[in-house]
Amino acid sequence: MKYEIIFYHSGKTAEIEKTADSRLKSIGLESAVSTAAVSPKELADELSASLKRVNIVLIIGGIDGGVQSTENVLSTVLSSDASSIKSHKLIDNDGNIVYLIKCQNQTIAVFPDDTAIIDKMLEAKIISELKKIYSLKQEKSDKPSMEKITGELNEQLSKSNRVRTSISIGNNEPQKPKTDKTLSAMRIAVISLIVLGCGFFAASGILLFTNLS
């Protein structure tokens, strides 16, 4: 099932489109067309065109109580069908307002130009209403929860931080770490080689000096 968006005096179009799509696709709704209007006449024309194509229309912006406000425009446009129109003013716990207008099988939802409020009101009010009106079902999300993702990452990190006591080589037999005695023997051998080398260079210097004399 498709829906359309009409932006009226709204400046956050891309952000709001993404938010609405993210919420509404969970109940099987798909965005069809997004248009914009800057005057009451344009809003009336766009709304009339949208209602000929789809049953669900979202109007974003223009809720300010002024002469050209969305409320006044809709009141004028829909006055001829007043007997069949049911308008609901939905208010959340923070005092945010959304208008839900129903006429037979068509629904118009009017939101303020605020992405956070739209997201909240869709989740808290509008989606549940649309599910009732059109018998829609909430689709299950296949995305893992943030808690699950965090838990898996922590488990992987804990495994990677463990110290290995042996490593596999050639025939897959573990190689034993070098002991302190082995390291001491290696140090003595290195020191002996250095001493022998110094003695060799000293002897060579004596012989060279003797020949020169």
Side-chain angles (χ1 to χ4, degrees):
M1 189 174 184
K2 296 184 181 294
Y3 69 92
E4 294 188 5
I5 299 178
I6 301 174
F7 292 99
Y8 183 56
H9 298 170
S10 174
K12 302 177 181 179
T13 56
E15 183 179 318
I16 290 172
E17 281 181 339
K18 184 177 180 181
T19 298
D21 179 65
S22 176
R23 288 293 183 188
L24 295 175
K25 70 180 180 181
S26 67
I27 55 174
L29 296 181
E30 180 183 353
S31 175
V33 176
S34 294
T35 58
V38 296
S39 68
K41 184 181 184 306
E42 287 183 359
L43 176 57
D45 291 342
E46 293 295 345
L47 179 59
S48 177
S50 291
L51 291 175
K52 291 177 182 178
R53 294 188 293 259
V54 297
N55 286 332
I56 301 175
V57 179
L58 311 184
I59 299 178
I60 312 298
I63 305 178
D64 55 20
V67 177
Q68 295 187 347
S69 67
T70 307
E71 308 99 297
N72 286 336
V73 175
L74 293 181
S75 177
T76 302
V77 172
L78 303 174
S79 60
S80 59
D81 297 323
S83 59
S84 59
I85 292 176
K86 294 180 180 180
S87 179
H88 301 276
K89 186 177 181 180
L90 306 179
I91 306 174
D92 67 8
N93 296 331
D94 296 324
N96 300 312
I97 298 173
V98 170
Y99 294 95
L100 193 66
I101 303 168
K102 294 184 285 184
C103 181
Q104 297 180 1
N105 196 40
Q106 293 186 306
T107 304
I108 303 170
V110 185
F111 297 87
D113 185 29
D114 189 304
T115 308
I117 294 176
I118 292 172
D119 185 47
K120 182 178 180 181
M121 293 299 282
L122 279 170
E123 181 183 23
K125 301 286 185 179
I126 302 301
I127 285 180
S128 60
E129 292 295 325
L130 293 177
K131 286 168 65 177
K132 293 176 185 177
I133 297 169
Y134 300 103
S135 300
L136 301 173
K137 294 182 178 180
Q138 194 85 28
E139 296 179 357
K140 293 182 179 180
S141 175
D142 294 330
K143 295 181 181 180
S145 64
M146 184 59 67
E147 291 78 7
K148 183 177 180 181
I149 294 174
T150 304
E152 291 177 353
L153 287 174
N154 289 335
E155 183 178 355
Q156 292 176 7
L157 288 173
S158 64
K159 289 180 179 179
S160 65
N161 289 333
R162 293 174 185 171
V163 179
R164 296 182 180 180
T165 56
S166 63
I167 58 174
S168 298
I169 57 172
N171 58 1
N172 295 325
E173 293 182 358
Q175 182 182 15
K176 296 181 179 180
K178 294 178 180 180
T179 62
D180 292 340
K181 291 183 178 180
T182 302
L183 292 175
S184 298
M186 290 178 64
R187 292 193 188 99
I188 293 172
V190 171
I191 293 172
S192 299
L193 288 173
I194 293 173
V195 172
L196 290 174
C198 292
F200 174 77
F201 283 114
S204 297
I206 292 172
L207 289 174
L208 178 62
F209 179 77
T210 304
N211 291 333
L212 291 174
S213 299

